[in-house]
Amino acid sequence: MDCSSLFRLDGRIALVTGGSRGIGRMIAEGFLAQGATVYIAARKAAACAATAEELGPNCIPLPVDVATVEGCRALAAALAERETRLDILVNNAGAAWGVAFEEFPEQGWDKVMDLNVKSPFFLTQALHPLLTAAGVDRPAKVINISSIDGQRLNPWETYSYHASKAALIYLTKRMAARLVRDRINVTSIAPGAFASEMNRAARDHGDAVAQAIPAGRIGEPEDMAAAAIYLASRAGDYVVGETITVDGGLVHAALGTSIDG
């Protein structure tokens, strides 16, 4: 058994949405280190271009907003102009909204559900021809970035975020059951506390957040990159429909407890 190349991504074409910062950037950087060509999509063109320049010539910016079905189709069309296949799609772009129950607005519901659930489905649908073209000798990969907030409660009133991430975990299973026949493996990663614009508590108060984590620290970029590389590479070719939790044990520590008191 030769395991020397199990985690390599040489020659593979990847697309990471929300790839200009946070978890998306961590994954993009990991893919690049393993030999992939990585397209990163983001809503802000300047940030997308700046990140691509920082990560090197094999990182290519595609500044498209995937918050709508039209945006998803536009991103798929832009990629199709450059590539004849797509080996790896990471549906990472997401949003959160936290407001008290009595005041939670429809806008906060629709924005989060559209970007966190609707967009991964319709972007994968729009990219289906390119993903199918890649799944010849080895399966293509779709990796949805969910959250431990789809598996347990957090202390904040993020109603649509909780609902969206739980929905994405089960959407992953449903999509996996259908797309595996096209040699496309769909999986999910549920991150815990990683420093990002969305998780400002981990970003700005990492030591305090780490006190509740059994591993004693927040996640590092290598932790997220490693999980994504595993699923994207030959090492993960036999994993279908599953969610890998990357949280230092936080979900298991919270089992059987009531966050609201």
Side-chain angles (χ1 to χ4, degrees):
M1 181 184 295
D2 181 7
C3 297
S4 61
S5 63
L6 274 181
F7 297 92
R8 293 295 304 175
L9 297 172
D10 301 287
R12 308 287 275 177
I13 306 297
L15 169 63
V16 181
T17 68
S20 66
R21 63 185 186 183
I23 284 173
R25 178 177 174 142
M26 296 173 198
I27 292 172
E29 190 168 359
F31 285 176
L32 288 163
Q34 292 302 99
T37 296
V38 181
Y39 290 84
I40 58 171
R43 178 172 54 89
K44 298 180 179 179
C48 193
T51 297
E53 184 175 0
E54 291 171 8
L55 295 184
N58 290 327
C59 186
I60 304 158
L62 288 178
V64 179
D65 185 356
V66 295
T68 64
V69 174
E70 291 76 14
C72 292
R73 292 171 178 166
L75 177 56
L79 185 65
E81 292 177 356
R82 297 163 172 80
E83 303 290 346
T84 58
R85 74 177 202 279
L86 177 63
D87 299 291
I88 307 157
L89 168 63
V90 179
N91 286 311
N92 168 71
W97 199 295
V99 176
F101 175 79
E102 295 83 358
E103 302 170 359
F104 202 94
E106 183 179 9
Q107 179 187 5
W109 187 269
D110 291 346
K111 177 181 178 179
V112 172
M113 294 297 287
D114 282 354
L115 186 55
N116 293 7
V117 184
K118 189 175 180 179
S119 290
F121 178 84
F122 283 101
L123 181 57
T124 304
Q125 182 189 68
L127 289 166
H128 184 251
L130 292 182
L131 290 163
T132 302
V136 178
D137 297 323
R138 286 186 44 211
K141 307 294 181 68
V142 175
I143 303 170
N144 295 323
I145 305 303
S146 54
S147 170
I148 60 170
D149 288 353
Q151 301 170 318
R152 57 91 187 179
L153 293 177
N154 69 35
W156 303 285
E157 294 186 85
T158 53
Y159 296 99
S160 53
Y161 186 76
H162 270 97
S164 71
K165 292 304 184 178
L168 186 57
I169 289 171
Y170 274 85
L171 179 61
T172 295
K173 294 178 181 292
R174 179 62 263 176
M175 291 171 65
R178 164 59 183 86
L179 295 181
V180 69
R181 73 177 71 163
D182 298 327
R183 293 183 57 79
I184 301 168
N185 291 2
V186 185
T187 55
S188 167
I189 297 173
F194 284 80
S196 68
E197 181 67 21
M198 186 175 295
N199 193 336
R200 297 179 185 179
R203 184 192 66 185
D204 300 336
H205 309 286
D207 290 342
V209 171
Q211 293 178 14
I213 301 173
R217 62 175 177 84
I218 65 170
E220 298 175 353
E222 291 82 0
D223 298 317
M224 184 51 51
I229 290 166
Y230 164 62
L231 292 173
S233 67
R234 169 63 185 88
D237 278 2
Y238 207 52
V239 181
V240 179
E242 291 300 313
T243 294
I244 295 180
T245 303
V246 185
D247 72 339
L250 184 56
V251 163
H252 292 289
L255 290 177
T257 64
S258 173
I259 289 178
D260 289 333

